[in-house]
Amino acid sequence: MITITDFCSQYELLFSVPDDYDPAILVVKSLIESYPKVDAKLFIGARDVGSNGKINNMVRPYEAAKFNNIVISDTGIKTTPTTLREMVSCLKPDVGLVLQMPYCAPRKGFGAVYQQVYFGTMQARNCLSANACNINCSTGMSCLLRREVLDQAGGLAPFGKYLAEDHFIAEGIRKQGYKVVLSTLPALQNSGNCGISDFHKRLVRWAKLRMTLLPTLILLEPLGESVIQGAAASLAAGYLLDISPLAFFIGHLLIWFLSDYILLRIVQNGPLPFSKFEFLAAWLFRETMAPYILIQGHMTTHVMWRDRKYRVKWGGEVERIPELGETIEDKVEKFSADSGNVATQRSSKKMVEVLNCVAVTS
């Protein structure tokens, strides 16, 4: 986790890892030594303020931050040279939080294409429409906030009891009379894990959280899916207008497909990094899997997040379900196995990207 504060004329980089066994520690220390003129600090050790491990990891650097404007950026987010400048330009006097709409950086494999299509179509459609209607659509992957405003809502620590802390942070800022807006640049997820199975677990977790936060979505969300909506509309058209249900359904999917393709091109802001056939395959897979994801969200009694199990309560609060084997010895073994993996390399790339970004912005 990296926190960047007050990057217009002065800035600092605050890195935070949960414990002494995180493989990113050696990389961050090495890079801090390589850039001695950069005001950067590494915080080791989380403070337990709730069940949310991300909030626990951020509380210490948040409280130690020198400046009022704070960017929270997940390690897996790719930072471009124009990211910070664009986010700062959106921070008007009446704005308390600037969000980046989640998207994906180009990666290899069908799983990467599938994720990019998901975030560039379904997720983008929901996020943009909710923002246009002044509905909370917050995602915490990459955001810029005013610390003084969040402090009026109690600071960062009170949100540790929620797994969807981004939603409640945005609500806390909105209650202070400030706007929450979207940056024109999306957050580019750049994780090395493009597995479809792991991605589906994320979707099931999000579906479960949405249902507990906004129970009305239990009925409304399925109606927003192309297959379910198309099937219902086709039956109605056949009964009321004597139109072939199959022909109506095919026309419905074609219009939806073309609309999603146009939206994805807009989000990508240029040619797609994959073929039209790959887009078609990923789009069909996404649309046909959507009902399955929703059903799984209903059926699951808990959610998994970063290899940890949580029980979600109505209203958004979560309770950590401890598992066997969570000992220091396990962490040492995991550190030894992960010390040379992709996560370590990603931490190195992340700091270099941020340093380049801050240099351009300043």
Side-chain angles (χ1 to χ4, degrees), residues 4 27 33 68 124 149 163 277 308 360:
I4 312 166
V27 177
E33 293 175 357
N68 183 49
V149 178
L163 203 58
F277 176 78
R308 295 182 177 181
V360 171

Side-chain angles (χ1 to χ4, degrees), residues 90-98 146 149 173 178-181:
C90 299
L91 197 65
K92 308 300 182 184
D94 59 342
V95 174
L97 178 65
V98 179
R146 297 184 189 273
V149 178
I173 290 177
Y178 287 84
K179 295 181 181 179
V180 176
V181 301

Side-chain angles (χ1 to χ4, degrees), residues 264-279:
L264 182 60
R265 287 290 302 267
I266 293 173
V267 175
Q268 178 67 27
N269 195 26
L272 300 181
F274 43 80
S275 67
K276 292 183 176 64
F277 176 78
E278 289 176 304
F279 169 72

Side-chain angles (χ1 to χ4, degrees), residues 96-344:
L97 178 65
V98 179
L99 303 171
Q100 282 194 285
M101 185 180 73
Y103 189 48
C104 295
R107 293 163 293 173
K108 296 181 179 179
F110 179 75
V113 175
Y114 176 51
Q115 293 184 31
Q116 201 162 0
V117 168
Y118 171 86
F119 284 103
T121 57
M122 183 272 187
Q123 181 70 21
R125 181 170 62 249
N126 291 346
C127 192
L128 292 172
S129 58
N131 181 72
C133 298
N134 196 29
I135 297 174
N136 188 352
C137 60
S138 177
T139 56
M141 299 176 188
S142 177
C143 63
L144 164 64
L145 57 85
R146 297 184 189 273
R147 177 178 175 176
E148 60 183 5
V149 178
L150 186 59
D151 284 345
Q152 293 175 15
L156 195 62
F159 300 98
K161 61 183 178 181
Y162 304 110
L163 203 58
E165 82 290 335
D166 43 13
H167 172 87
F168 290 97
I169 288 175
E171 278 300 299
I173 290 177
R174 283 156 57 102
K175 288 179 180 178
Q176 308 304 316
Y178 287 84
K179 295 181 181 179
V180 176
V181 301
L182 285 178
S183 169
T184 58
L185 297 179
L188 300 178
Q189 301 172 79
N190 198 32
S191 170
N193 183 4
C194 298
I196 293 177
S197 177
D198 289 337
F199 183 56
H200 279 169
K201 292 178 181 177
R202 291 178 69 191
L203 298 183
V204 170
R205 182 178 77 243
W206 293 343
K208 185 69 175 180
L209 290 174
R210 289 195 300 271
M211 293 171 191
T212 57
L213 286 173
L214 301 170
T216 53
L217 292 179
I218 296 175
L219 296 176
L220 296 179
E221 186 169 355
L223 300 179
E225 296 294 343
S226 64
V227 174
I228 297 175
Q229 186 180 121
S234 299
L235 293 176
Y239 180 77
L240 298 174
L241 305 175
D242 198 24
I243 298 175
S244 168
L246 179 59
F248 188 96
F249 184 73
I250 292 175
H252 164 84
L253 287 184
L254 179 61
I255 294 174
W256 199 293
F257 170 79
L258 293 175
S259 300
D260 273 350
Y261 180 77
I262 294 171
L263 177 59
L264 182 60
R265 287 290 302 267
I266 293 173
V267 175
Q268 178 67 27
N269 195 26
L272 300 181
F274 43 80
S275 67
K276 292 183 176 64
F277 176 78
E278 289 176 304
F279 169 72
L280 173 62
W283 185 85
L284 288 173
F285 188 53
R286 213 288 316 171
E287 298 302 314
T288 54
M289 288 299 295
Y292 167 78
I293 298 297
L294 292 176
I295 293 173
Q296 286 293 103
H298 282 289
M299 294 179 61
T300 184
T301 57
H302 63 272
V303 296
M304 297 295 298
W305 187 46
R306 299 184 179 179
D307 299 326
R308 295 182 177 181
K309 187 182 294 186
Y310 297 86
R311 183 179 295 106
V312 185
K313 304 177 183 178
W314 291 106
E317 293 190 28
V318 293
E319 177 184 355
R320 173 80 185 282
I321 303 175
E323 297 188 35
L324 297 176
E326 292 186 353
T327 64
I328 295 298
E329 290 74 14
D330 294 329
K331 291 185 177 182
V332 173
E333 182 179 351
K334 186 177 186 299
F335 168 72
S336 300
D338 292 348
S339 58
N341 68 2
V342 176
T344 306

Side-chain angles (χ1 to χ4, degrees), residues 3-53:
T3 304
I4 312 166
T5 65
D6 216 354
F7 27 78
C8 297
S9 57
Q10 293 179 306
Y11 62 88
E12 60 179 345
L13 304 181
L14 305 178
F15 296 83
S16 184
V17 296
D19 52 54
D20 292 319
Y21 307 102
D22 194 295
I25 292 176
L26 296 178
V27 177
V28 173
K29 286 184 175 180
S30 175
L31 288 170
I32 289 177
E33 293 175 357
S34 300
Y35 296 88
K37 295 183 179 180
V38 175
D39 186 2
K41 298 181 181 64
L42 171 63
F43 292 81
I44 302 176
R47 180 186 300 172
D48 189 3
V49 297
S51 299
N52 190 317

